[in-house]
């Protein structure tokens, strides 16, 4: 049996004159696609279908959407023991939500596949059926457990993928190959209830970044901030008052994780002076994580009660393949010891 959860997105959208918007109640279309798939494959997969209420344009996803969808998936797995789960989702935030699901449901023994479309069901050239068939086929073929985006020609590991095309059938790119940890990292469930530490956010640096924008970001995103820097982790903060606000935020207990805007290579904060200043201020290196994975991981860990040195350690450890492994010589065996959230 396969669980199919429809959350919205272009897949089922209609345009009645005011721009495309999501449509609820596409169960009959799904039944037809599954039946066609079963007939072609000569097997019966069996499925359970449900919808998010309301279905959304995934651009409307908020900070809690990924976790809410992950909880729905988790509840479905507990109640029905499916062989796999398919989440039909809008492409705009599919990589963000997919990464969040990957962290929330780490260790899950079945594949979870997010899929969607660039062109709605029933429209000429629609890729909706093909993408749903790809997801079904991947579950039937016993894809390894984990969270993937099933889109276009194949699967993308959710923690390494990013939307990189608006119209192309290949909407997603695997930015860097999945790098599974050499020894499975053990990360226990949070030992105490989630506390409100403040929201977690993301800010991209650019030439002309104004102190008011950084101040607003560190002021609002008290739970944590992913700072998407240039190249090896440099930013236009060195020697400015912005550096003081960043330092104050870190001292106050807001973790700041530095990642790179580049698609290849990762952060090396010791390389240039503007990076060293960040390092000295106490930022956490996000290595070569995508922005989607870094945001999802930081949010997940903060929500799970991690802070201080344990949060840093977990952020800098490859948990699911989201981060390249350190070279063997630099490998610290303690990295793979259990974390205790506090
Ligand atoms: N705006 C749409 C969404 O993300 C785009 C899509 O699904 O392709 O819901």
């Amino acid at each position: 049996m396969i669980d199919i959860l429809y959350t919205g997105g272009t897949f089922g959208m209609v345009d009645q004159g005011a721009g495309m918007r999501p449509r609820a109640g596409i169960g009959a279309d799904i039944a037809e696609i599954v039946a066609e798939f079963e007939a072609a494959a000569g097997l019966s997969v069996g499925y359970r279908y449900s919808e998010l209420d309301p279905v959304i344009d995934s651009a409307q996803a908020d900070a809690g959407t990924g976790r809410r969808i992950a909880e729905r998936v988790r509840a479905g797995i507990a109640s029905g023991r499916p062989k796999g789960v398919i989440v039909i989702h809008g492409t705009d935030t599919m990589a963000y939500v997919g990464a969040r699901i990957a962290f929330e449901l780490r260790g899950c023994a079945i594949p979870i596949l997010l899929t969607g479309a660039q062109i709605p069901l029933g429209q000429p050239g629609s890729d909706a059926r093909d993408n749903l068939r790809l997801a079904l086929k991947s579950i039937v073929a016993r894809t390894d457990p984990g969270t993937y985006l099933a889109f276009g020609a194949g699967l993308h590991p959710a923690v390494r993928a990013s939307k990189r095309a608006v119209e192309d059938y290949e909407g997603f790119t695997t930015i860097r190959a999945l790098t599974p940890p050499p020894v499975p990292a053990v990360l226990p469930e949070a030992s105490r209830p989630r506390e409100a530490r403040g929201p977690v956010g993301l800010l991209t640096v650019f030439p002309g970044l104004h102190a008011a924008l950084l101040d607003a970001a560190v002021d609002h995103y008290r739970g944590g901030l992913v700072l998407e820097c240039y190249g090896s982790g440099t930013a236009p903060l060195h020697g400015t008052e912005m550096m003081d606000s960043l330092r104050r935020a870190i001292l106050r207990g807001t973790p700041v994780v530095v990642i790179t805007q580049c698609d290849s290579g990762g952060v090396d904060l010791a390389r240039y002076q503007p990076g060293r200043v960040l390092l000295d201020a106490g930022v956490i290196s996000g290595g070569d994580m995508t922005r989607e994975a870094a945001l999802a991981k930081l949010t997940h860990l903060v929500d799970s009660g991690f802070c201080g040195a344990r949060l840093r350690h977990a952020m800098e450890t490859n948990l699911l393949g989201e981060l390249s492994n350190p070279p063997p010589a630099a490998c610290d065996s303690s990295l793979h010891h259990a974390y205790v959230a506090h």
Side-chain angles (χ1 to χ4, degrees), residues 9-10 13 56-59 89-93 117-118 163:
T10 295
M13 282 191 184
I56 58 166
D57 182 314
S58 83
H89 196 282
T91 61
D92 288 345
T93 57
Q118 300 280 41
K163 179 173 176 178

Side-chain angles (χ1 to χ4, degrees), residues 47-262:
Y47 73 102
R48 274 192 319 191
Y49 175 75
S50 65
E51 297 188 351
L52 205 64
D53 184 19
V55 290
I56 58 166
D57 182 314
S58 83
Q60 294 171 283
D62 61 27
T65 302
R67 187 166 55 76
R68 283 195 295 276
I69 294 176
E71 291 313 326
R72 279 278 291 259
V73 171
R74 193 198 305 278
I77 295 173
S79 69
R81 311 227 163 269
K83 281 195 295 241
V85 179
I86 298 174
V87 178
I88 301 172
H89 196 282
T91 61
D92 288 345
T93 57
M94 192 188 290
Y96 289 94
V97 167
R100 185 71 196 269
I101 294 174
F103 287 106
E104 293 290 332
L105 297 180
R106 66 189 186 281
C108 175
I110 58 170
I112 299 164
L113 298 147
L114 286 87
T115 195
Q118 300 280 41
I119 301 174
L121 264 178
Q123 284 198 14
S126 172
D127 50 344
R129 282 171 184 265
D130 285 346
N131 286 341
L132 181 53
R133 273 196 292 260
L134 170 66
L136 289 164
K137 197 173 79 188
S138 306
I139 294 174
V140 169
R142 298 186 185 280
T143 292
D144 287 342
T147 306
Y148 307 85
L149 313 188
F151 213 91
L155 304 189
H156 301 274
V159 292
R160 289 301 209 174
S162 202
K163 179 173 176 178
R164 284 293 200 266
V166 177
E167 283 162 2
D168 204 289
Y169 290 141
E170 299 305 322
F172 293 88
T173 301
T174 296
I175 303 293
R176 298 175 185 84
L178 191 75
T179 47
V183 179
V186 182
L187 188 66
E189 291 303 316
S191 52
R192 22 186 245 175
R194 294 164 200 261
E195 296 169 17
R197 283 171 195 258
V200 174
L202 168 79
L203 179 69
T204 300
V205 308
F206 56 92
L209 173 67
H210 195 277
L213 183 55
L214 184 77
D215 282 348
V218 293
D219 211 43
H220 182 73
Y221 296 108
R222 290 180 166 248
L225 184 69
V226 175
L227 197 61
E228 194 177 40
C229 290
Y230 307 127
S232 55
T234 54
L237 309 188
H238 178 211
T240 72
E241 62 189 81
M242 290 190 279
M243 212 45 237
D244 298 324
S245 17
L246 199 73
R247 260 188 223 107
R248 275 197 303 276
I250 293 170
L251 283 174
R252 178 185 73 199
T254 298
V256 176
V257 177
V258 172
I259 58 167
T260 178
Q261 297 171 15
C262 294

